[in-house]
Amino acid sequence: MATEAAAAQDVDVVVIGTGPGGEDAVARLARAGLDVVAVEARLVGGECPYYGCIPTKMMVRAADALAEARRVPSLAGRADVEPDWAQVARRIRDEATADWDDTAAVERLEDAGARLVRGRGRLAGHGEVVVTTDDGERRLRARRAVVLNPGTEPLVPPLEGLEGTPFWTNRQAVRATEAPASLTVLGGGAIGLELAQVFARFGTAVTVVEAVDRLLVADEPEASALIESRFAAEQIAVRTGTRAQRVTHDDGGGFTVHLDDGTELGSERLLVATGRRTDLAALGVGAVGLDEDARTIAVDDRMRAADGVWAIGDVTGHGAFTHVSMYQARIAVGDILAAGDHGSGTERADYRAVPHVTFTDPEVGAVGLTEAAARDAGITVRSSVTDIAASSRGFVHGPGNEGLIKLVEDAGRGVLVGATVAGPAAGEILGVLTLAVHAQVPTARLRRMIYAYPTFHRAIESALGDLGA
Ligand SMILES: Cc1cc2nc3c(=O)[nH]c(=O)nc-3n(C[C@H](O)[C@H](O)[C@H](O)COP(=O)(O)OP(=O)(O)OC[C@H]3O[C@@H](n4cnc5c(N)ncnc54)[C@H](O)[C@@H]3O)c2cc1C
Ligand SMILES: NC(=O)c1ccc[n+]([C@@H]2O[C@H](COP(=O)([O-])OP(=O)(O)OC[C@H]3O[C@@H](n4cnc5c(N)ncnc54)[C@H](O)[C@@H]3O)[C@@H](O)[C@H]2O)c1
């Protein structure tokens, strides 16, 4: 057993935090023959497989199945729909998370040739890492690289009365064993909206409280309006432009959220989904000259944060998405392996075409810049919005066909710099527009493409037409 007095263990690479990017980096570096130690305080794989993407998308899949079944009467006859949360809870526990057990992930990592130290790591100098484990402290010395992939924690606002109550964050919500009778959701971002609609479709009376004046504030306003209208149709109450002032809780009656406009919202459960936070001081980044009070770690286009230190994932502030974390892992690994070669020939990060999809129904997918962001960047913008419901496929689809495609063109260069797709299968349709933004395909060329009839993606052709020549 290692103790504080034990000598530092020399290795090639230490990876602190094994989110999707960290886990991938550990495996790639170990397979390349380096001596790699992964340091993980919780579960190997991070937020995405145990508390984020995977369990929440299983919930969404179940909720969407219910919604689609409820559309049967207007399309195909009769369907008796009886929601049962137990099946969702079972799938998440047994199929997605192995009851929140990372044995399989640890085995994958060890099969790749890496070792795991379970504990909380912090930087103690260049190449120096101290890990606090259940058995005391262990010191590691990385000859070649330290990779930081600490991810984020739920940000809980300092609301009077909230601390010490059994409120949910995403981490409790994915472990729910039943759908509550009622739920107040603080935060109208991706987490709040996906979970609000899921529980509503399982019969929970849901109210979403969002501090700013619209939902999905990082997306196009047209997408916000679409989601607000669908939520209204599904009797999900939405309160925008208002904040919770304080919270009261009693075991019998559940939660009461007191809003700053004087309204009181009572509910059995309270979900706090008001963003995420980092703690760079706890990570010891000051020991390598980085700002411990910052929210994110600044990295260059090869993920270098300081001499011998790389950072990847949510902590870099380039989009809190699994695909960004994994993209950055590939770049960091390429750079670490190319060391000695002065990094020549390695891939450089390019964030012009980062896609994201919020898995509400309708899904909201976007890539690149919003119209407002493009204008703020000084781009001469041409934009257009096309109604998916009015397309041939939208007409055929009927109930559940609401959606839109919005294109943002740099009129000077004649290329798309941003696009939003909201509607059925929006995340899939987004793929072709992600390619267009990424590869800077001229809009004139996109207009000459053939779009299959009658697909949802064919609405892109109309949107291109509406941009003007
Ligand atoms: C509810 C929810 C739904 C989401 N849905 C999606 C989605 O559909 N699609 C999508 O792309 N993204 C989604 N995300 C975001 C996605 O989960 C993250 O972007 C993704 O996990 C990448 O994070 P990361 O690699 O930065 O690290 P994380 O996944 O946050 O993992 C970081 C790991 O580091 C460990 N750690 C932290 N500090 C230390 C330390 N000092 N020592 C040792 N270990 C440490 C933590 O225990 C954790 O395991 C969702 C997030 C949430 C919360
Ligand atoms: N499908 C996906 O890709 C997906 C799904 C879930 C989460 N994520 C990632 O996780 C991140 C975190 O998600 P999130 O939804 O927690 O954060 P978010 O930052 O996207 O949204 C939080 C919302 O809460 C609001 N808010 C803050 N304080 C508030 C208060 N006191 N009262 C009411 N509203 C308040 C903010 O204005 C904001 O709109 C996302 O930004 C995204 O990157 C991605």
Side-chain angles (χ1 to χ4, degrees), residues 179-197:
S182 52
L183 174 72
T184 302
V185 177
L186 295 187
I191 296 179
L193 298 187
E194 288 179 357
L195 294 178
Q197 192 177 40

Side-chain angles (χ1 to χ4, degrees), residues 30-49:
R31 274 196 225 101
L34 298 188
D35 183 12
V36 184
V37 168
V39 180
E40 173 55 57
R42 292 158 57 93
L43 295 169
V44 172
E47 199 78 7
C48 179

Side-chain angles (χ1 to χ4, degrees), residues 17 19-20 40-42 46-47 53 57 119 121 149-151 170 314 320-322 325:
E40 173 55 57
R42 292 158 57 93
E47 199 78 7
C53 332
K57 263 79 270 178
N149 178 227
N170 62 294
D314 294 4
F321 305 107
T322 288
S325 183

Side-chain angles (χ1 to χ4, degrees), residues 316-334:
T316 65
H318 285 288
F321 305 107
T322 288
H323 42 276
V324 171
S325 183
M326 299 195 71
Y327 172 71
Q328 293 179 324
R330 186 177 72 218
I331 293 171
V333 167

Side-chain angles (χ1 to χ4, degrees), residues 57 187 189-191 194 209-211 243 273-276 320-321 357 359:
K57 263 79 270 178
I191 296 179
E194 288 179 357
V209 179
E210 166 53 53
R243 278 179 182 274
T274 48
R276 315 285 298 176
F321 305 107
V357 180
F359 293 88

